[in-house]
Amino acid sequence: MGRIPAEAVIPFLVAMMLASGVANTLLTKYQDMQCVLNCDDPDPKKRSHFEQPVMQTLQMFVGESGCWLVVGTYSLVRRIKQRRAGYSAVPDSEASTGDSSPTLTPETPIAKALSIKSADNRIPLTGRKIFLLAIPACCDIMGTTLMMVGFLFVAASIYQMTRGALVLFVGLFSVVFLKRKLFAYQWFSLVVVVLGVAIVGLSSVLFPDHLAVPGSGKGATDKTSITMAFHTSMRSAVRVAKQAKSPEAIRSIIGVVLIAAAQVFTATQFVVEEYILERYALEPIKVVGWEGVFGFSVTLVVMIVMHLLVGRTPEGEGGYFNAVAAWNQVIGFRPVLVSSILIMISIGGFNFFGLSVTRTVSATSRSTIDTCRTLFIWLASLGLGWETFKWLQVLGFALLVYGTFLFNNIIRPPIKRWAQTAIEEPAQIEEPTNS
């Protein structure tokens, strides 16, 4: 069978990356909006909605662990093809390029996500060294959980745009810890990104969307009590929001701050991953799979421990760490269950197709595509009536796009001397592999 040209597959990969990425964010917001208690009460403020960010973190790692299904299927199909051709199976790291199958040759875009780059002199990441990936997985846990909490208080587009602060923290951490050099135009682009995030946050404060916070009256958050400093401060912030003269605006501030703070952990995850993978070799999709396994294991253990310590107490009833309540809400309400399954599928698909795009085209292309994802999420949220249009948000989004594109050398710097530097030594930051 003839080989399918890479040019014919790339549009499909890009479309699937966009579709799965947009679906993941919208499904997560849809899940947050589902009523799970007092749903028949005529007073909307007495209804409680699905507010389980820890459970949502767990389901994200289940989706990432699903990458092993792709790895297993790929390996199984290749072995079957090799047996039919009369060859014995060979390990992934020693696979040759002789198979002419349109989906199994390492030259095809999908196969590139399942292989290590040729002429790679790094040490294979095997044995106990695999546990190094538990470090970025733990950073992912903190970052994702903070983002899920912040997502409860803001619209989907505000959530996605605020995540643009990631470029700032990854750039700074790369300079401090990886000893990378940023040029003047890149520092300028980071300032533009910060300004864009600030304007997006300001738009959510000046023009708060009550539609984005369906559980603004009474939810699980005001029942949660925990001795840990992290959750105590979170609980205090929520209490302040509920007692404020303009609670919607305060909730927007809390949401934006939490999402922006989460980018510190995500940036740490990126830098640690880059540090590890500069020294050890492992297929990109297996990196995601292992982080999914470690993240799921750690999150599950923490959920059980916190349920025993906090969730069973009267103050913790129905809160973030009541694992039994979270599980009952997932399996007891069909929309929550269906959205959970779809979220796990979409995050797995987004990781796989994103890695395929990165290995086939470039990380810069992936960054550009992910910016388009933000636009589609915004348009979909407006179309679904989940938020209202704000001109100030348009300005913030434009600055985010400009700063990100400038940093990744997609557009030319505004100063001629900067432009020459960009041509001589380009630099870029890859987008996150998770939601």
Side-chain angles (χ1 to χ4, degrees):
M1 181 180 293
R3 182 178 301 166
I4 299 176
E7 293 76 10
V9 181
I10 291 174
F12 170 75
L13 297 176
V14 171
M16 292 304 297
M17 177 186 166
L18 273 175
S20 57
V22 171
N24 181 260
T25 300
L26 294 179
L27 285 167
T28 302
K29 191 60 186 178
Y30 170 80
Q31 191 174 63
D32 290 340
M33 297 169 68
Q34 299 309 303
C35 181
V36 294
L37 185 65
N38 300 326
C39 300
D40 296 327
D41 197 301
D43 185 359
K45 293 185 177 181
K46 294 182 179 180
R47 302 171 190 168
S48 293
H49 295 74
F50 186 77
E51 297 181 356
Q52 298 294 344
V54 181
M55 178 61 75
Q56 288 176 322
T57 299
L58 186 71
Q59 68 189 18
M60 185 204 73
F61 284 119
V62 172
E64 288 189 3
S65 301
C67 289
W68 287 110
L69 295 176
V70 178
V71 175
T73 302
Y74 173 81
S75 179
L76 179 62
V77 171
R78 192 182 63 187
R79 288 172 184 270
I80 292 175
K81 298 281 290 183
Q82 288 172 336
R83 286 182 180 178
R84 288 178 178 176
Y87 300 106
S88 59
V90 295
D92 290 345
S93 59
E94 300 175 6
S96 66
T97 60
D99 191 350
S100 61
S101 168
T103 58
L104 297 181
T105 53
E107 290 84 357
T108 59
I110 293 178
K112 286 184 179 180
L114 293 156
S115 61
I116 300 174
K117 291 183 179 180
S118 58
D120 199 332
N121 296 321
R122 295 173 296 168
I123 303 171
L125 188 61
T126 57
R128 288 181 294 181
K129 294 186 180 70
I130 287 292
F131 286 92
L132 289 172
L133 295 176
I135 301 174
C138 289
C139 295
D140 201 0
I141 292 172
M142 293 298 298
T144 301
T145 303
L146 276 176
M147 283 191 287
M148 291 300 101
V149 175
F151 204 2
L152 295 172
F153 303 127
V154 298
S157 64
I158 297 292
Y159 162 81
Q160 193 67 31
M161 291 180 192
T162 306
R163 292 184 65 188
L166 176 66
V167 177
L168 167 67
F169 294 115
V170 173
L172 293 176
F173 290 176
S174 295
V175 171
V176 175
F177 299 109
L178 297 179
K179 307 304 179 183
R180 299 288 166 77
K181 179 182 178 181
L182 294 184
F183 299 101
Y185 77 94
Q186 293 173 311
W187 287 112
F188 174 74
S189 69
L190 295 182
V191 172
V192 172
V193 167
V194 172
L195 183 59
V197 172
I199 292 176
V200 168
L202 182 63
S203 71
S204 68
V205 173
L206 295 180
F207 311 103
D209 253 320
H210 70 279
L211 296 174
V213 192
S216 58
K218 180 181 180 182
T221 47
D222 62 336
K223 299 177 182 178
T224 308
S225 175
I226 181 171
T227 55
M228 295 172 58
F230 165 73
H231 196 267
T232 300
S233 60
M234 186 186 303
R235 179 170 174 250
S236 299
V238 174
R239 188 189 303 116
V240 169
K242 293 179 183 294
Q243 294 174 350
K245 184 177 180 180
S246 180
E248 290 84 3
I250 301 297
R251 290 190 194 96
S252 296
I253 294 174
I254 294 173
V256 170
V257 169
L258 287 175
I259 295 168
Q263 305 317 304
V264 175
F265 293 100
T266 305
T268 304
Q269 173 193 349
F270 271 35
V271 172
V272 172
E273 283 177 344
E274 187 169 350
Y275 179 84
I276 293 172
L277 295 179
E278 280 181 347
R279 291 156 177 78
Y280 300 98
L282 186 66
E283 295 89 332
I285 200 167
K286 289 185 178 180
V287 173
V288 177
W290 277 118
E291 288 187 7
V293 171
F294 290 132
F296 174 81
S297 302
V298 174
T299 304
L300 184 62
V301 170
V302 170
M303 283 184 68
I304 294 173
V305 172
M306 295 310 300
H307 174 76
L308 296 175
L309 295 177
V310 178
R312 296 190 303 175
T313 65
E315 294 83 1
E317 181 182 355
Y320 295 163
F321 293 104
N322 190 320
V324 174
W327 175 251
N328 289 336
Q329 289 175 9
V330 170
I331 65 173
F333 294 87
R334 185 179 180 85
V336 177
L337 176 61
V338 173
S339 59
S340 290
I341 296 172
L342 293 178
I343 286 170
M344 289 185 283
I345 295 173
S346 64
I347 190 63
F350 180 69
N351 282 317
F352 174 70
F353 291 115
L355 286 170
S356 299
V357 169
T358 300
R359 294 297 298 273
T360 305
V361 190
S362 69
T364 302
S365 299
R366 185 176 178 183
S367 173
T368 308
I369 295 166
D370 205 60
T371 302
C372 296
R373 176 168 72 117
T374 302
L375 179 61
F376 286 132
I377 290 170
W378 190 9
L379 294 176
S381 297
L382 290 172
L384 292 169
W386 290 358
E387 56 181 289
T388 56
F389 183 81
K390 311 176 188 69
W391 279 108
L392 194 59
Q393 191 175 348
V394 176
L395 175 60
F397 178 62
L399 289 174
L400 281 171
V401 172
Y402 177 77
T404 302
F405 283 13
L406 177 60
F407 192 96
N408 288 326
N409 299 307
I410 298 172
I411 58 178
R412 293 177 65 84
I415 300 177
K416 186 176 181 179
R417 182 164 56 88
W418 290 357
Q420 184 62 32
T421 304
I423 295 173
E424 291 175 355
E425 297 191 50
Q428 60 189 30
I429 288 179
E430 186 175 338
E431 289 295 306
T433 56
N434 57 17
S435 65

